[in-house]
């Protein structure tokens, strides 16, 4: 957002506060109570808004160096974001491919080269490749390259990390196992400029890429 627009919005908000008012539309509007209470509408909104479109899941300052990582669950899908050894930003479902256990319970970390599942100790590198399986004699026919972590589309833009929680934009279940022969280690790139459109200029104006994360606070409300 350019400075002139920021100043104008701040002045407008201060005027609202001084006169104890707010922005108003020209006429009354009606919202059906089902917009707030219908469970099916909630599921539809979650499936579309929080699965099929990119979400800002964290700050790029959290994953500046190889081995830096953070996790995110607010979208209802467990997500792992990590900077691999080559400096490439990657995002995966934070789910072990063995029994579906949560792979990384920590919120953030650094210097990580291997992620080990706390359930049965299957291990993966920062590129999502399956490295090891205890008691491998029980998986003699398993092809490791097919059972790496499930990749999610990811982008780094405007100081933020953006991830689409569903592997495919058509709405495939984010926890679905990819068909045999489909490599899980890469996902289509996100074109954030095309997605944000004119909002890209607003994000650029804030200069978030120069910011450093200071503190995280979580507020939970029944709404």
């Amino acid at each position: 957002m350019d400075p002139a627009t920021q100043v104008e919005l701040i002045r407008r908000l201060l005027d609202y506060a001084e006169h104890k008012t707010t922005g108003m539309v020209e006429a009354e509007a009606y919202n059906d109570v089902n917009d707030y209470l219908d469970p099916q509408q909630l599921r539809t909104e979650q499936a579309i808004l929080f699965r099929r479109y990119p979400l800002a899941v964290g700050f790029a300052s959290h994953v500046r160096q190889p081995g830096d990582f953070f996790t995110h669950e607010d979208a209802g899908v467990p997500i792992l974001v990590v900077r691999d050894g080559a400096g490439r930003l990657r995002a995966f479902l934070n789910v072990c491919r063995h029994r579906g256990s949560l792979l990384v319970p920590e919120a953030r970390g650094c210097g990580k080269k291997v992620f080990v599942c706390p359930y049965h100790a299957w291990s993966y590198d920062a590129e999502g490749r399956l490295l090891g399986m205890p008691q491998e004699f029980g998986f003699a026919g398993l092809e490791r390259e097919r059972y790496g972590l499930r990749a999610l589309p990811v982008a780094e833009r405007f100081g933020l990390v953006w991830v689409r929680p569903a592997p495919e934009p058509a709405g495939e279940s984010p926890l679905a196992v990819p068909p045999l022969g489909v490599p899980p280690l890469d996902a289509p790139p996100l074109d954030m400029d095309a997605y944000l459109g004119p909002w890209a200029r607003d994000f650029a104006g804030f200069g978030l890429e120069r910011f450093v994360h200071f503190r995280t606070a979580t507020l939970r409300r029944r709404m």
Side-chain angles (χ1 to χ4, degrees):
M1 185 178 297
D2 64 89
T5 302
Q6 293 184 45
V7 170
E8 195 280 327
L9 290 175
I10 291 171
R11 286 176 174 169
R12 189 187 306 175
L13 292 173
L14 291 174
D15 183 72
Y16 288 157
E18 180 180 356
H19 294 92
K20 295 181 171 56
T21 185
T22 187
M24 305 288 285
V25 295
E26 295 181 358
E28 296 86 353
Y30 174 78
N31 288 332
D32 192 291
V33 69
N34 285 328
D35 291 347
Y36 305 97
L37 301 178
D38 183 7
Q40 180 56 49
Q41 179 160 327
L42 172 62
R43 289 191 291 269
T44 301
E45 290 178 356
Q46 290 172 331
I48 296 175
L49 299 177
F50 296 99
R51 297 289 191 278
R52 299 185 188 179
Y53 294 99
L55 302 177
V57 298
F59 297 102
S61 60
H62 286 163
V63 282
R64 292 201 188 281
Q65 302 298 325
D68 290 352
F69 71 91
F70 67 84
T71 59
H72 184 275
E73 294 188 5
D74 291 345
V77 174
I79 296 171
L80 168 65
V81 176
V82 59
R83 182 81 62 180
D84 69 18
R88 179 179 175 183
L89 189 65
R90 295 179 179 270
F92 306 100
L93 289 177
N94 187 18
V95 176
C96 179
R97 294 296 302 281
H98 178 211
R99 291 295 180 89
S101 296
L102 189 69
L103 177 64
V104 183
E106 301 94 341
R108 289 178 56 193
C110 59
K112 200 79 168 178
K113 295 182 179 180
V114 178
F115 298 96
V116 181
C117 178
Y119 188 30
H120 280 148
W122 281 33
S123 58
Y124 306 83
D125 65 13
E127 296 181 10
R129 292 176 296 202
L130 176 61
L131 297 179
M133 301 170 289
Q135 299 180 335
E136 289 192 46
F137 58 83
F139 303 93
L142 187 144
E143 298 180 44
R144 292 193 184 197
E145 63 273 13
R146 296 180 177 178
Y147 284 87
L149 297 178
R150 189 73 193 272
L152 298 173
V154 62
E156 181 179 351
R157 197 78 169 91
F158 308 116
L160 299 170
V161 175
W162 304 80
V163 175
R164 191 179 69 221
E168 301 297 336
E172 174 188 337
S173 170
L175 299 181
V177 176
L180 293 179
V182 176
L185 302 181
D186 290 296
L190 291 176
D191 186 346
M192 292 309 304
D193 287 327
Y195 171 65
L196 293 172
W199 285 2
R201 294 192 300 271
D202 292 338
F203 275 104
F206 287 118
L208 294 176
E209 64 277 1
R210 301 191 301 272
F211 287 35
V212 176
H213 174 263
F214 172 64
R215 181 176 61 193
T216 295
T218 300
L219 300 177
R220 299 190 183 278
R221 297 288 187 267
R222 290 181 59 84
M223 300 178 63

